[in-house]
Amino acid sequence: LSALGRHDAALGHYQVLARRPGHEFVGRRLEAGAMVAAGDTLGARSVVERAMVAGQADGATYLLCGELSLKLGDAAGAARCLDTALAKEPDNAAARAMLGESFIRLGATEKGLAELDAAAAANPADPAPLRRAGRLLEGMGRHREALERYAKILGTAPRDTEALIATANVHLALGELDQARTIAISLVGTPVQESMGQYVIGRIALVQRQNEEAVLALARATRLDPRHGAAWAALGDAYLALNDGAKAREALDKAAALPGVDSGVLRRLAELESRAGRHAPALAALERAIALEPADAELRLAQARTLAALTRWHESGNAAREAQRLLPKSVEPLLLAADAA
């Protein structure tokens, strides 16, 4: 039934299984899994919590508790579950990686990095912890340390496209254009790989302010792989550098339509839509960005301004007050809230 997508129907069978002596642990996990598949993550965690209270939980159950808690944004609860999972199964690399993610979300960055590195050492075949650590270090400006993580991935899988691109991006951030170009040239084979190579070449051209060349390379990247969101976003930046707002908006709109779009793309798209007087599409982009970054005060301010431009004063005031909560020392949210009153 689960394989057929009939998760609600499967749920009853798993509940019966969980009541059978000797099958409690696996039955509760399957019950929770069916609820997640049916879209009830909160209910699934309740099932797991009841299993833990009843003493029907093993390491895998606590691991599931950690995973569900992270999905629900409860990093502290996830850390508690994952600590217990590791007490029961010290070599569980998946639990260690999730514990690292929990620490990062709690602001304990160094502890999180240590757990991610430990997870990678426990299971070298899984590059995910090293990727997460590398991205985190990039965001902190610790580029050399990020390169070390990506190098470990490439030591195991030399043609790992994602690690190659990440390495090229770090070299770009460091101004090491020759190293980035060498990686770009090496990315040949499938259209997706060649799209990645053209993307890096386009990014190099942008850094060198060769904007026409950047447009050519990045347009080629999007033709090779129309689902390459980063290439569409960079193409938008290249058109912006050429002061072509209409084509920039079109490229960013393509990027925004793809899965996994980041808030930066949505923010830039909203700015362009607002400049063009297209406030409704701007608001739609901002609302998507806020869903990804709910604590970003600048996004809330932009939302308040855009709602005001649409004469939706009550909602504009609410957005301004939320921005004021996030930026209590700023005057602008107060002014926007006063205008909306």
Side-chain angles (χ1 to χ4, degrees):
L1 291 171
S2 290
L4 293 171
R6 297 172 59 190
H7 304 294
D8 290 335
L11 183 60
H13 294 282
Y14 295 143
Q15 289 169 337
V16 171
L17 179 65
R19 291 193 289 270
R20 291 184 180 175
H23 296 85
E24 298 92 344
F25 291 16
V26 67
R28 290 301 177 204
R29 287 202 305 275
L30 289 169
E31 179 185 356
M35 294 183 80
V36 171
D40 187 3
T41 304
L42 187 60
R45 188 171 67 167
S46 296
V47 168
V48 171
E49 288 172 341
R50 289 197 300 272
M52 292 188 297
V53 170
Q56 299 173 345
D58 53 10
T61 308
Y62 281 96
L63 174 65
L64 180 57
C65 173
E67 181 182 354
L68 295 173
S69 296
L70 281 175
K71 285 183 178 179
L72 291 167
D74 180 10
R80 289 192 294 272
C81 290
L82 295 163
D83 271 332
T84 306
L86 286 166
K88 292 178 176 290
E89 299 177 7
D91 297 328
N92 191 322
R96 202 162 289 285
M98 275 192 253
L99 181 60
E101 181 65 31
S102 302
F103 283 144
I104 290 164
R105 295 191 191 184
L106 289 168
T109 304
E110 297 304 324
K111 287 177 71 175
L113 284 169
E115 292 294 346
L116 289 172
D117 286 341
N123 185 12
D126 181 10
L130 289 171
R131 291 195 211 283
R132 179 67 176 103
R135 288 194 297 269
L136 179 65
L137 289 162
E138 278 188 73
M140 297 167 65
R142 291 160 62 175
H143 299 298
R144 296 295 174 195
E145 293 173 75
L147 282 176
E148 290 173 8
R149 270 53 173 203
Y150 298 139
K152 287 180 181 179
I153 298 174
L154 294 170
T156 303
R159 300 304 302 163
D160 186 299
T161 303
E162 189 174 338
L164 285 168
I165 288 294
T167 301
N169 284 333
V170 175
H171 285 307
L172 283 169
L174 291 168
E176 297 170 350
L177 304 187
D178 288 340
Q179 291 93 323
R181 188 178 288 106
T182 298
I183 292 172
I185 293 169
S186 75
L187 289 166
V188 295
T190 68
V192 170
Q193 289 172 319
E194 292 184 14
S195 173
M196 292 286 190
Q198 290 298 311
Y199 163 72
V200 174
I201 289 170
R203 289 279 311 282
I204 292 170
L206 273 175
V207 170
Q208 295 178 324
R209 298 185 180 180
Q210 297 171 349
N211 300 318
E212 292 85 356
E213 289 82 353
V215 165
L216 291 173
L218 292 164
R220 195 175 301 121
T222 61
R223 287 195 299 272
L224 285 162
D225 180 10
R227 296 183 64 77
H228 189 169
W232 282 113
L235 181 59
D237 292 338
Y239 279 127
L240 278 176
L242 291 172
N243 295 315
D244 191 336
K247 287 188 177 178
R249 192 168 67 246
E250 182 181 335
L252 289 172
D253 194 50
K254 294 276 191 181
L258 293 169
V261 61
D262 65 50
S263 62
V265 168
L266 294 165
R267 188 194 303 262
R268 300 202 297 282
L269 177 60
E271 288 173 358
L272 288 175
E273 296 286 20
S274 290
R275 285 184 208 167
R278 293 160 47 90
H279 300 297
L283 180 62
L286 284 169
E287 288 177 342
R288 290 179 62 197
I290 288 168
L292 295 171
E293 302 284 351
D296 190 309
E298 294 301 324
L299 286 173
R300 297 286 185 176
L301 283 171
Q303 181 188 33
R305 288 191 291 267
T306 305
L307 285 163
L310 291 167
T311 66
R312 291 164 59 175
W313 302 112
H314 178 72
E315 294 166 89
S316 175
N318 289 340
R321 283 186 284 275
E322 181 61 22
Q324 177 64 30
R325 185 185 69 80
L326 295 167
L327 276 178
K329 295 182 180 180
S330 175
V331 176
E332 187 177 359
L334 292 172
L335 295 174
L336 283 169
D339 289 341

